[in-house]
């Protein structure tokens, strides 16, 4: 858990980690003048190339595990009168007559040529159709949640650190601990009860839908998206806020901050130019992880709010043994992790000019 | 200090705007029946206009007068059909059949008492046994049957349905399809039992037709449980396979013969149906309304989580739920005056099946000790009775062919009722077992009396049941180890694994008989229970228990060939005595222990909805079985 007495040590550790090992870079004595130039491009390309084995390993492991865990013919186990055609149908559909590695290479070959296959658990519709449809739905949740998370997390974290031990700090700390301690499903259900049942009952109006995606109008969409976004954001916000608070507290007592103040730099400039910017470096690591988690779909939040996104789809596809669909989602989630990590690495260079990419 | 005032104000303004905008919006979400109006554009796109102002109480009251027609019935359900092609072996979810029950009818329907009734027929069909062993069945359709697009429903539709079902199948010399393989068949259906006996189909007129079967098939009333429209479902079986998944052909949605017509499907969110105004009326003895449905349409919201379903009901966003029995429903809904929660005997009944090749269970005294040690009454009292009252027999089930709410049901394990631990231990001692010192018995050659019981993991009610029985059997000298497998792979990995089936079919000579000991599973019952029998026939493909009895094998086809309903019902009861007692097969009998029949459970917003449509559902046809009767107050 972030924050608390170990917070500064944790931040130092993340700072050191984020500067060195993930970037494969080194800290130079001077700012690099071509940070956004050729070296950056080469770095990005190199990172993307090294991501290929990661994607292959992740997809193969998923393919192998799903193939062994789920047997689609199980659904016929208790059918005492089903004839061979029923089994043949399942075997043909899932290519169960081929060994797993062969099926994987077949899938991979199709996938890289743009054929994502058919979703057997969704009426054999093209996976690509479902993929974009559900991906967009997840984006509806993840986008606002991520933006709000960054804004509120930064604001509450910095406020809390600058006003350490003030009433506001205690309030934010208490709410953060509440968020950290509260399971997502419980918080989601609580919001449903409060806003969809109690508010209408006692206040006479109903601000939000309890569940489901409503696209009839922008207003209906807003009413349906608010509670799941709040749920997604609140649970992450608690951690992020504590994390940023600890980072700011650590930097607040750094030598260069003291030097800046001694030089007579205004407090506003100290905060915005020196403190804020440096505090963002570890936060970027955290946000990249948050983003990958959010945009990859949230199983619990999407289930609680009956939201037709990636999270629910992955669960349904996995239990149904729908390999093409499972693989497409796993591929997307793995890619998101790689992409957001890469973006974080690139942002380090923007935030900290000492970082070089050669 | 950091200046955040403007930012904070902006945030506050945004939040306030959101709340105000939402509050000033509408409550069209509330399941108040007719508060939304759906317009179909020329392109088939849907626009929704909200009409009602915000409500002031929860759950919101409907703006429909008592007994009036109109409104949209909203059903919240956790499962979504993968597609609408129910016969596809890849799609056997019950929700698909539940949805289709509102769209399409068959020759016979099933009542709440799990009995057949003539649905599209004018009355019972006439069965005539011929001298050569073949059977002729003459059917007459009701007058005035109509598809939703105004086309009359005739014998030609039934003939078309038959032809689709058997299209391409390899035929025997007598014209019936080759049994058991489905070789060449085009239409996606995994079970052609009965159809493979039909040698001819003759449409005599628009309302009369005749089928001839090479021999009598006891489940004949279920053969054409859905009739397809010849003019719309596809020119051939391949086209039907292509049209059914989305319930549409090139011209639009497929026409209905049921009270509803398919409308839209927003995958992952909801499915909608609208009233079939050309509906010819329900013939179900459970239905009260003889005409078209009262409600304008049905909306099915796919709500995966149980608590969210309840919140959805309480928020007025759904009218009815029908789901697995769960404690949460009883706790949160049954105490609320706005809701009615009710249950009926469901079609799913649970069993323990015993592996006769197990070193312990191969001894009939041990099997009898096992059933003596189980107190089904305590299981019922602990799990079902508090929630579902006296819907089910308090002593549990005692038959694997008939369910407790069916007329021919007999309790064949009545002599084992109650906990009889002393008798169980006496049985074990008679079989050569002795207490090993910790209460668990042990055999000098076969070792400690440890038995694994397994099923698909993740079903809380079933796991509780296992734990209860585990404790009971510990008192009787058995050590029961729960061996469930998560993720739906249990049956494929344990009793129906290749090795286990090879052992069962060879009497242990091949394969591996030690993969499983006791399996817990459920049958889904129906008016014709003969479908269970093949699982117990010697060396049958799905006989995982290793049961073998020549008399039983011979009696099964005799039962299935008995034309008289009462005689046939008695015959199935006789078959059950082989399976659940030692009376007729003292050596291999008693390899199944029927436990409990699961209740069908439903809750509905009674402050809004009339209870008329919520009829008994023992056949598991889902909440739309009598959709014609749903009516808003």
């Amino acid at each position: 858990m972030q924050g608390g007495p170990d917070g500064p040590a944790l931040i130092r550790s993340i700072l050191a980690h984020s500067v060195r090992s993930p970037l494969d870079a080194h800290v130079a004595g001077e700012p690099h003048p071509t940070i956004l130039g050729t070296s950056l491009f080469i770095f990005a390309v190199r990172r993307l190339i090294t991501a290929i084995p990661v994607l292959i390993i992740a997809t193969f492991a998923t393919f192998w595990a799903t193939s062994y865990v789920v047997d689609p013919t199980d659904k016929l186990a208790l059918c005492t009168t089903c004839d061979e055609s029923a089994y043949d149908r399942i075997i043909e559909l899932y290519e169960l007559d081929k060994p797993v590695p062969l099926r994987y290479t077949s899938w991979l070959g199709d996938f890289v040529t743009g054929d994502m296959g058919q979703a057997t658990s969704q009426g054999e519709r093209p996976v690509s159709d479902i993929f974009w449809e559900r991906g967009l739905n997840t984006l509806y949740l993840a986008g606002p949640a991520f933006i709000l998370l960054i804004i509120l997390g930064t604001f509450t974290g910095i406020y809390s650190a600058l006003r350490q031990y003030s009433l506001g700090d205690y309030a934010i700390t208490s709410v953060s601990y509440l968020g950290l301690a509260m399971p997502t499903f419980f918080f989601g259900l609580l919001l449903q009860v409060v806003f969809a049942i109690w508010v209408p009952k006692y206040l006479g109006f109903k601000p939000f839908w309890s569940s489901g995606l409503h696209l009839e109008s922008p207003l209906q969409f807003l009413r349906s998206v608010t509670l799941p976004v709040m749920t997604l954001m609140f649970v992450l916000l608690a951690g992020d806020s504590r994390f940023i608070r600890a980072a700011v507290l650590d930097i607040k007592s750094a030598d260069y901050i003291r030097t800046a103040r001694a030089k007579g730099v205004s407090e506003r400039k100290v905060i915005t130019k020196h403190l804020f910017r440096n505090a963002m470096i570890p936060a970027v690591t955290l946000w990249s992880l948050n983003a990958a988690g959010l945009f990859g779909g949230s199983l619990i939040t999407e289930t609680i709010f009956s939201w037709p996104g990636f999270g629910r789809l992955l669960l349904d596809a996995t239990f149904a043994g729908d390999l093409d669909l499972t693989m497409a989602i796993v591929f997307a989630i793995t890619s998101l992790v790689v992409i957001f990590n890469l973006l974080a690495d690139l942002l380090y260079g923007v935030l900290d000019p000492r970082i070089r990419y050669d | 200090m950091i200046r955040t005032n403007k930012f904070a104000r902006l945030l506050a303004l945004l939040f306030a705007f959101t709340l105000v905008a939402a509050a000033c919006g509408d409550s069209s979400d509330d399941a108040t029946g007719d508060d939304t109006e759906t317009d179909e554009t020329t392109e088939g796109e849907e626009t929704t206009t909200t009409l009602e102002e915000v409500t002031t109480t929860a759950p919101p009251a409907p703006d429909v007068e008592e007994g009036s027609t109109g409104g949209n019935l909203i059903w919240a359900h956790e499962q979504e059909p993968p597609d609408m092609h129910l016969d596809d072996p890849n799609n056997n979810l019950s929700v698909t059949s539940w949805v289709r029950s509102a769209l399409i009818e068959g020759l016979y329907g099933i009542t709440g008492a799990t009995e057949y009734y003539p649905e599209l027929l004018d009355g019972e069909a006439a069965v005539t046994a011929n001298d050569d062993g073949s059977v002729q069945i003459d059917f007459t359709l009701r007058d005035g049957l109509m598809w939703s697009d105004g086309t009359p429903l005739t014998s030609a539709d039934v003939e078309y349905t038959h032809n689709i079902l058997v299209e391409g199948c390899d035929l025997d010399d007598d014209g019936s399809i080759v049994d058991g393989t489905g070789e060449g068949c085009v239409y996606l259906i995994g079970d052609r039992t009965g159809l493979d006996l039909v040698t001819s189909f003759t449409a005599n007129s628009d309302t009369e037709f005749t089928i001839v079967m090479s021999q009598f098939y006891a489940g004949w009333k279920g053969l054409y449980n859905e009739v397809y429209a010849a003019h719309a479902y596809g020119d051939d079986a391949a086209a039907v396979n292509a049209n059914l998944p989305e319930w549409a052909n090139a011209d639009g949605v497929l026409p209905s013969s049921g009270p509803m017509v398919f409308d839209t499907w927003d995958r992952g969110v909801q499915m909608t149906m609208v009233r079939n105004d050309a509906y010819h009326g329900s013939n179900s003895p459970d239905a009260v309304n003889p005409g078209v449905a009262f409600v304008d349409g049905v909306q099915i919201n796919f709500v995966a989580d149980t608590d969210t379903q309840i919140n959805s009901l309480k928020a007025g966003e759904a009218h009815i739920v029908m789901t697995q029995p769960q404690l949460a429903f009883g706790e949160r809904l049954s105490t609320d005056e706005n809701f009615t929660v009710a249950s009926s005997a469901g079609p799913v009944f649970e069993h323990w099946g015993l592996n006769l090749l197990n070193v312990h269970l191969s001894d009939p005294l041990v099997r009898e000790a096992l059933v003596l040690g189980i107190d089904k009454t305590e299981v019922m009292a602990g799990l079902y009775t508090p929630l579902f009252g006296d819907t089910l027999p308090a002593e549990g089930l005692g038959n694997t062919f008939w369910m407790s709410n069916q007329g021919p049901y007999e309790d064949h394990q009545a002599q084992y009722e109650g906990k009889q631990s002393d008798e169980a231990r006496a049985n074990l001692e008679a079989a050569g077992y002795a207490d090993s010192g910790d209460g668990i018995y042990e055999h000098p050659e076969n070792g400690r009396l440890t038995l694994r019981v397994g099923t698909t993991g993740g079903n809380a009610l079933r796991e509780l049941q296992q734990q209860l029985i585990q404790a009971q059997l510990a008192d009787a000298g058995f050590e029961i180890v729960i061996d469930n497998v998560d993720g739906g792979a249990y049956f494929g990995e344990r009793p129906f694994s290749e090795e286990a089936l090879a052992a069962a079919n060879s009497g242990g000579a091949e394969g591996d008989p030690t993969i499983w000991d006791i399996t817990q599973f459920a049958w889904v019952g129906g008016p014709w229970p003969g479908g269970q029998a093949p699982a117990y026939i010697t060396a049958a493909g799905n006989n995982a228990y290793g049961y073998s009895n020549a008399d039983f094998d011979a009696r099964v086809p005799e039962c299935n060939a008995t034309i008289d309903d009462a005689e046939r019902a008695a015959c199935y009861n006789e078959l059950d005595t082989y399976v659940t007692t030692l009376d007729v097969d003292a050596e291999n009998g008693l390899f199944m222990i029927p436990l409990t029949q699961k209740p069908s459970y439903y809750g509905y917003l009674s402050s809004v909805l009339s209870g008329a449509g919520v009829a008994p559902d023992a056949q598991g046809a889902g909440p739309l079985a009598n959709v014609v009767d749903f009516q808003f107050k």
Side-chain angles (χ1 to χ4, degrees):
Chain A
M1 191 176 291
Q2 296 94 347
D6 295 331
L10 177 68
I11 299 307
R12 275 194 295 276
S13 150
I14 289 184
L15 264 172
H17 180 72
S18 62
V19 168
R20 294 192 187 96
S21 47
L23 288 172
D24 193 22
H26 66 277
V27 178
E30 298 172 358
H32 196 277
T34 59
I35 192 77
L36 299 173
T38 314
S39 59
L40 179 63
F41 176 74
I42 292 170
F43 171 77
V45 171
R46 199 173 69 202
R47 281 298 300 272
L48 288 174
I49 290 171
T50 55
I52 291 173
V54 174
L55 289 170
I56 290 176
I57 291 168
T59 51
F60 180 74
T62 307
F63 196 98
W64 183 84
T66 310
S67 300
Y68 278 94
V69 168
V70 181
D71 180 359
T73 59
D74 277 347
K75 59 185 81 174
L76 299 177
L78 293 177
C79 178
T80 56
T81 49
C82 282
D83 60 33
E84 285 175 24
S85 68
Y87 287 90
D88 291 345
R89 160 84 176 138
I90 305 283
I91 288 165
E92 184 189 345
L93 201 55
Y94 295 88
E95 296 185 314
L96 300 178
D97 51 343
K98 295 178 185 167
V100 172
L102 201 64
R103 279 155 55 195
Y104 175 74
T105 50
S106 164
W107 169 82
L108 192 61
D110 290 342
F111 193 83
V112 296
T113 53
D115 179 6
M116 297 167 89
Q118 311 281 313
T120 51
S121 64
Q122 301 277 322
E124 293 167 53
R125 294 171 69 212
V127 167
S128 51
D129 289 0
I130 301 164
F131 184 83
W132 295 117
E133 193 178 286
R134 295 299 182 97
L136 186 64
N137 293 340
T138 288
L139 195 64
Y140 289 150
L141 281 191
F146 187 58
I147 292 167
L148 285 172
L149 179 67
I150 290 177
I151 294 170
L152 294 178
T154 306
F155 172 73
T156 54
I158 292 177
Y159 178 87
S160 214
L162 295 179
R163 303 285 185 88
Q164 194 180 10
Y165 306 132
S166 67
L167 195 62
D169 178 33
Y170 282 127
I172 290 171
T173 301
S174 304
V175 174
S176 294
Y177 282 138
L178 192 68
L180 286 169
M182 199 179 293
T184 310
F185 74 90
F186 178 76
F187 185 64
L189 291 171
L190 188 67
L191 289 182
Q192 285 180 352
V193 170
V194 171
F195 287 103
I197 299 174
W198 288 353
V199 169
K201 187 172 182 181
Y202 297 112
L203 300 182
F205 71 96
K206 186 172 177 182
F208 308 120
W209 295 87
S210 72
S211 62
L213 167 61
H214 297 265
L215 293 170
E216 302 93 292
S217 67
L219 182 61
Q220 294 306 324
F221 172 69
L222 201 62
R223 295 179 70 204
S224 66
V225 82
T226 304
L227 297 187
V229 164
M230 282 168 70
T231 305
L232 267 181
M233 188 201 60
F234 182 67
V235 176
L236 292 174
L237 176 64
D240 283 18
S241 173
R242 299 300 298 161
F243 190 87
I244 291 169
R245 178 183 184 272
V248 173
L249 283 176
D250 191 42
I251 293 163
K252 212 168 82 170
S253 56
D255 290 345
Y256 59 86
I257 297 290
R258 196 180 310 117
T259 306
R261 285 191 175 123
K263 281 166 65 182
V265 178
S266 71
E267 186 64 17
R268 183 181 174 185
K269 207 167 180 182
V270 167
I271 290 169
T272 54
K273 192 165 182 183
H274 298 284
L275 199 147
F276 177 78
R277 192 165 173 176
N278 281 289
M280 287 306 99
I281 295 173
V284 162
T285 309
L286 192 63
W287 289 334
S288 72
L289 296 172
N290 289 162
L294 284 171
F295 290 94
S298 165
L299 172 64
I300 295 172
T301 305
E302 287 179 3
T303 302
I304 293 292
F305 289 98
S306 307
W307 196 268
F310 265 164
R312 267 177 69 194
L313 190 64
L314 178 61
L315 184 75
D316 294 343
T318 306
F319 276 120
D322 186 343
L323 274 169
D324 284 344
L325 192 52
T326 304
M327 298 306 296
I329 300 170
V330 167
F331 185 86
I333 292 171
T334 313
S335 302
L336 284 172
V337 172
V338 170
I339 290 166
F340 282 113
N341 269 311
L342 176 63
L343 285 176
D345 289 349
L346 299 179
L347 270 175
Y348 293 144
V350 174
L351 292 167
D352 186 350
R354 293 171 302 174
I355 295 171
R356 297 175 54 166
Y357 292 100
D358 52 8
Chain B
M1 80 179 256
I2 190 165
R3 287 171 182 246
T4 56
N5 285 352
K6 282 185 183 172
F7 178 64
R9 281 179 197 152
L10 182 67
L11 276 180
L13 193 67
L14 272 174
F15 186 66
F17 171 75
T18 306
L19 280 176
V20 170
C24 294
D26 59 80
S27 56
S28 62
D29 49 311
D30 305 328
T32 50
D34 63 348
D35 56 355
T36 58
E37 183 178 81
T38 303
D39 299 318
E40 196 78 13
T41 65
T42 48
E43 289 80 24
E45 291 174 357
E46 204 179 53
T47 57
T48 303
T49 312
T50 56
L51 298 179
E52 201 185 51
E53 290 302 316
V54 290
T55 53
T56 54
T57 56
D63 191 19
V64 272
E65 292 173 15
E66 185 164 346
S68 66
T69 61
N72 281 309
L73 176 73
I74 303 179
W75 163 31
H77 192 62
E78 61 269 23
Q79 280 187 321
E80 178 176 10
D83 64 49
M84 292 288 285
H85 194 336
L86 179 63
D87 291 324
D88 184 346
N90 190 45
N91 172 14
N92 57 0
L93 287 184
S94 55
V95 66
T96 314
S97 68
W98 290 6
V99 172
R100 282 171 56 137
S101 72
L103 299 174
I104 190 162
E105 297 188 337
L107 298 185
Y108 281 91
I110 302 173
T111 68
T114 324
E115 290 170 350
Y116 285 117
Y117 71 90
E119 192 169 47
L120 292 175
L121 296 175
D122 196 31
E124 287 290 344
V127 181
T128 310
N130 298 323
D131 294 340
D132 61 356
S134 67
V135 172
Q136 177 176 318
I137 308 176
D138 296 301
F139 299 86
T140 305
L141 293 173
R142 288 159 61 191
D143 285 330
L145 294 176
M146 196 73 76
W147 291 100
S148 57
D149 60 3
T151 307
L153 192 161
T154 67
S155 301
D157 291 308
V158 188
E159 186 176 19
Y160 162 80
T161 305
H162 173 81
N163 291 337
I164 291 293
L165 289 169
V166 302
E167 185 183 308
C169 298
D170 288 352
L171 298 180
D172 274 334
D173 294 339
D174 65 358
S176 63
I177 60 177
V178 175
D179 182 27
T181 66
E183 199 69 40
C185 300
V186 179
Y187 182 72
L188 292 175
I189 185 170
D191 182 5
R192 287 183 173 79
T193 309
L195 287 169
D196 52 10
L197 301 174
V198 177
T199 55
S200 74
F201 189 111
T202 311
N204 308 310
S205 70
D206 278 355
T207 55
E208 292 178 347
F209 59 95
T210 301
I211 64 170
V212 176
M213 306 181 85
S214 56
Q215 64 186 68
F216 181 72
Y217 167 62
W220 65 271
K221 288 183 180 177
L223 282 184
Y224 307 107
N225 59 358
E226 289 183 332
V227 172
Y228 292 165
H231 68 283
Y233 279 48
D235 292 338
D236 53 26
V240 178
N241 283 335
N243 290 335
L244 285 181
E246 299 298 317
W247 207 255
N249 58 25
D251 301 324
V253 299
L254 300 179
S256 290
S257 57
M260 290 288 149
V261 181
F262 187 84
D263 189 24
T264 63
W265 187 357
D266 185 1
R267 282 180 186 268
V269 182
Q270 65 179 37
M271 183 183 276
T272 61
M273 295 182 256
V274 294
R275 180 174 52 219
N276 174 9
D277 289 319
Y279 183 50
H280 38 251
S282 173
N283 225 16
S284 167
D286 298 328
V288 177
N289 171 19
V292 299
F294 291 126
V295 295
D296 289 335
V298 173
Q299 178 178 319
I300 306 162
N301 290 347
F302 304 117
V303 180
D305 180 68
T306 302
D307 288 302
T308 309
Q309 284 182 8
I310 295 170
N311 287 344
S312 180
L313 277 174
K314 286 188 162 250
E317 294 169 18
H319 297 117
I320 184 164
V321 290
M322 182 166 183
T323 186
Q324 295 278 332
Q326 289 175 76
L327 296 173
F329 282 100
E331 287 165 355
R332 291 192 58 200
L333 289 182
S334 59
T335 53
D336 192 321
E337 62 182 15
N338 292 307
F339 301 95
T340 295
V341 291
S343 61
S344 59
V348 177
F349 48 135
E350 300 266 341
H351 300 78
W352 273 18
L354 313 182
N355 183 353
L356 292 170
L357 299 176
N358 176 276
V359 288
H360 302 295
L361 295 172
S362 57
D363 189 330
L365 284 169
V366 175
R367 297 198 300 277
E368 192 170 51
L370 194 75
V371 70
L372 282 166
I374 296 175
D375 185 355
K376 297 178 198 172
T377 309
E378 189 186 72
V379 174
M380 291 300 297
L383 294 181
Y384 292 112
T385 310
L387 272 179
F388 307 109
D390 56 1
T391 299
L392 305 168
E395 64 279 10
L397 272 190
N399 199 309
T400 65
F401 279 77
W402 295 106
M403 295 183 293
S404 64
N405 56 317
Q406 290 181 292
Y409 173 80
E410 293 171 0
D411 185 352
H412 290 141
Q413 291 194 336
Q415 71 269 34
Y416 303 122
E417 267 172 28
K419 191 174 178 182
Q420 302 180 50
S421 303
D422 293 340
E423 290 79 354
R425 284 195 293 271
N427 256 37
L428 292 178
E429 283 158 17
Y433 287 79
D435 191 336
S436 62
D438 60 357
I440 303 301
Y441 276 62
E442 194 172 34
H443 191 274
E445 290 163 18
N446 299 331
R448 191 175 168 84
L449 188 48
T450 301
L451 296 168
R452 295 160 298 172
V453 61
T455 190
T456 298
N459 181 330
L461 208 60
R462 203 180 251 189
E463 285 167 1
L464 270 174
Q465 196 179 64
Q466 288 177 331
Q467 288 158 16
L468 269 175
I469 297 175
Q470 184 184 40
Q472 292 173 354
L473 286 172
D475 293 341
F478 288 85
E479 182 179 53
I480 297 293
V481 177
I482 295 173
D483 180 35
N484 298 337
V485 177
D486 284 333
Y490 169 76
F491 290 106
E493 286 183 9
R494 299 285 200 280
F496 294 101
S497 65
E498 218 168 280
E499 291 288 288
L501 284 176
N505 291 330
S506 65
E510 296 168 17
D512 182 358
T514 65
I515 293 173
W516 66 284
D517 304 331
I518 301 171
T519 181
Q520 182 166 356
F521 72 98
W523 285 121
V524 180
W528 174 62
Q532 279 95 312
Y536 312 136
I537 288 175
T538 304
N542 271 14
N543 179 351
Y545 319 98
Y547 183 64
S548 176
N549 183 304
D551 292 341
F552 180 88
D553 296 349
R555 197 73 180 112
V556 169
E558 287 173 11
C559 291
N560 287 340
T562 304
I563 294 177
D564 182 82
D565 287 347
E567 282 180 30
R568 191 169 63 249
C571 195
Y572 289 133
N573 266 327
E574 184 191 326
L575 289 180
D576 188 67
T577 57
Y578 286 84
V579 176
T580 58
T581 74
L582 291 169
D583 297 347
V584 286
D585 185 351
E587 186 56 34
N588 288 323
L590 185 49
F591 62 95
M592 297 289 286
I593 306 175
L595 294 171
T596 56
Q597 186 173 347
K598 273 168 71 175
S600 283
Y601 181 84
Y602 50 87
Y604 64 98
L605 201 54
S606 44
S607 62
V608 170
L609 199 63
S610 149
V614 189
D617 183 48
Q619 78 274 32
L624 304 185
N626 299 303
V627 69
V628 285
D629 286 342
F630 277 107
Q631 192 173 20
F632 291 98
K633 287 180 177 173

